[in-house]
Amino acid sequence: MSIKKAVKKSNKKNSHLRLVQTGRTKEERKLKEPKIYFSRAKRLTVLFAGLFLLLVLLIGGYFYVVENYTVTTVYVEGNVHYTNEEIMAMVMEGRYGNNSLFLSLKYRDKGIDNIPFIQMMDITVEAKDTIRITVYEKAVAGYISYLGQYIYFDRDGIVVEASEEMTPGIPQVTGLGLSHIVLHERLPVENEEVFEDILNITQLLEKYSLPVDKIYFSPDYQVTLIFGNARVAMGDSDDIDEKIMRLQYMLPSLEGKSGTLDMREYTEDTKMISFEPD
């Protein structure tokens, strides 16, 4: 018997039976699966609750940072021209200038420049309440007075600053006979070795705590140091170290006097010194 005949025979025999299909396609299952819907009011409530929680976290974080990262200890090193308070004011300016976290972000991978007499300042956060400010000053050898301004130059004779205020501790240099001055360029002198002599003299004067007012160079570069009304003729740069070392013992005797102390012929062997009052 063929399959078709067998099916027909079975259908006639079981005509009272009903076939029920239990399997469903994916589309049918999706259509019959229940869906959950939120009202607009509930969605807004969830949104505002999330925003409120975020706001609370931000405010809490803000007060935590403000209270726990306040700077109470500051180390300042390398500064001469500016006081510790002035350096701190430059670095810790602004509303959150006393917050170490803010400072670490502000000065990350950079320092402070464009400040007179300062080459660079580095700021290091050592702890939540402690920072260190390292100052790198420009190597100023002296200054000259030019057109109502104080022109400061370094050991190479490069003009580093022009200011209307005089900085204590830096000697005035006169007699160089300058025709013009350009900021950040070398002073126009015939003998550029004079700048090495100036730096050497200023360092020696600082070493022996000799408060010179002016350093005068004659046209042939003979040196005279001026202390008030007293002048000290040093001659050329030969034996300048020995002359200034000896001068530290003689300078107190010149206080209140007006005249010239002649040390041009002084050497370690001759020790020739004379004083000629005005």
Side-chain angles (χ1 to χ4, degrees):
M1 179 183 297
S2 65
I3 295 176
K4 291 182 179 181
K5 291 181 178 181
V7 170
K8 288 180 179 180
K9 185 177 180 180
S10 175
N11 289 339
K12 290 179 180 180
K13 183 178 179 180
N14 303 307
S15 58
H16 63 283
L17 298 178
R18 182 169 59 92
L19 177 63
V20 178
Q21 185 176 352
T22 58
R24 291 181 297 171
T25 64
K26 292 183 179 180
E27 290 75 10
E28 291 174 334
R29 287 197 297 269
K30 287 182 180 180
L31 291 174
K32 293 185 179 181
E33 287 177 355
K35 293 185 178 181
I36 301 175
Y37 295 94
F38 290 99
S39 67
R40 183 178 181 182
K42 289 184 177 181
R43 291 199 301 270
L44 290 176
T45 301
V46 172
L47 176 62
F48 284 125
L51 291 176
F52 178 76
L53 178 60
L54 178 61
L55 181 62
V56 170
L57 292 175
L58 290 176
I59 294 176
Y62 169 80
F63 283 105
Y64 176 81
V65 170
V66 169
E67 293 179 3
N68 291 275
Y69 287 83
T70 299
V71 176
T72 58
T73 303
V74 180
Y75 297 102
V76 182
E77 56 188 20
N79 54 310
V80 175
H81 294 91
Y82 298 98
T83 64
N84 291 349
E85 291 73 18
E86 289 173 330
I87 294 296
M88 290 169 59
M90 296 176 193
V91 173
M92 303 173 67
E93 64 176 354
R95 182 176 180 181
Y96 301 105
N98 65 338
N99 186 275
S100 62
L101 183 60
F102 171 79
L103 292 174
S104 66
L105 296 175
K106 181 178 180 180
Y107 298 114
R108 176 180 292 179
D109 300 327
K110 68 176 183 179
I112 302 177
D113 52 13
N114 297 324
I115 299 176
F117 304 108
I118 301 295
Q119 186 71 33
M120 180 67 70
M121 284 195 294
D122 287 337
I123 295 84
T124 305
V125 178
E126 298 190 342
K128 291 191 295 185
D129 60 349
T130 304
I131 66 171
R132 182 179 298 275
I133 306 173
T134 305
V135 182
Y136 301 94
E137 293 194 350
K138 296 176 181 177
V140 179
Y143 79 89
I144 61 174
S145 181
Y146 185 78
L147 298 179
Q149 287 191 316
Y150 300 102
I151 309 300
Y152 297 88
F153 58 90
D154 64 12
R155 61 188 302 168
D156 298 317
I158 305 297
V159 178
V160 295
E161 294 295 340
S163 175
E164 296 181 354
E165 298 182 2
M166 184 182 68
T167 301
I170 301 177
Q172 180 181 4
V173 179
T174 62
L176 295 181
L178 303 173
S179 59
H180 67 278
I181 293 176
V182 180
L183 189 63
H184 303 311
E185 292 188 8
R186 188 186 299 272
L187 293 172
V189 297
E190 294 182 1
N191 182 11
E192 294 183 353
E193 294 180 0
V194 69
F195 299 119
E196 295 182 7
D197 294 338
I198 293 172
L199 181 64
N200 186 35
I201 292 171
T202 56
Q203 289 177 339
L204 288 169
L205 292 171
E206 182 179 356
K207 176 181 178 180
Y208 296 111
S209 301
L210 301 178
V212 67
D213 294 320
K214 296 181 181 180
I215 303 174
Y216 169 74
F217 284 88
S218 65
D220 58 348
Y221 295 99
Q222 298 290 300
V223 181
T224 299
L225 305 180
I226 301 174
F227 300 87
N229 293 323
R231 300 173 298 277
V232 182
M234 308 294 287
D236 55 30
S237 59
D238 294 339
D239 299 313
I240 196 72
D241 298 36
E242 290 80 6
K243 292 177 182 179
I244 293 180
M245 182 176 63
R246 176 59 179 168
L247 179 61
Q248 68 174 319
Y249 302 108
M250 303 188 64
L251 190 60
S253 64
L254 298 178
E255 187 175 355
K257 295 182 179 180
S258 178
T260 301
L261 181 70
D262 192 345
M263 299 185 70
R264 289 177 294 179
E265 301 301 325
Y266 177 88
T267 64
E268 192 174 357
D269 298 326
T270 62
K271 303 184 185 302
M272 290 181 61
I273 301 175
S274 63
F275 179 76
E276 181 179 349
D278 291 340

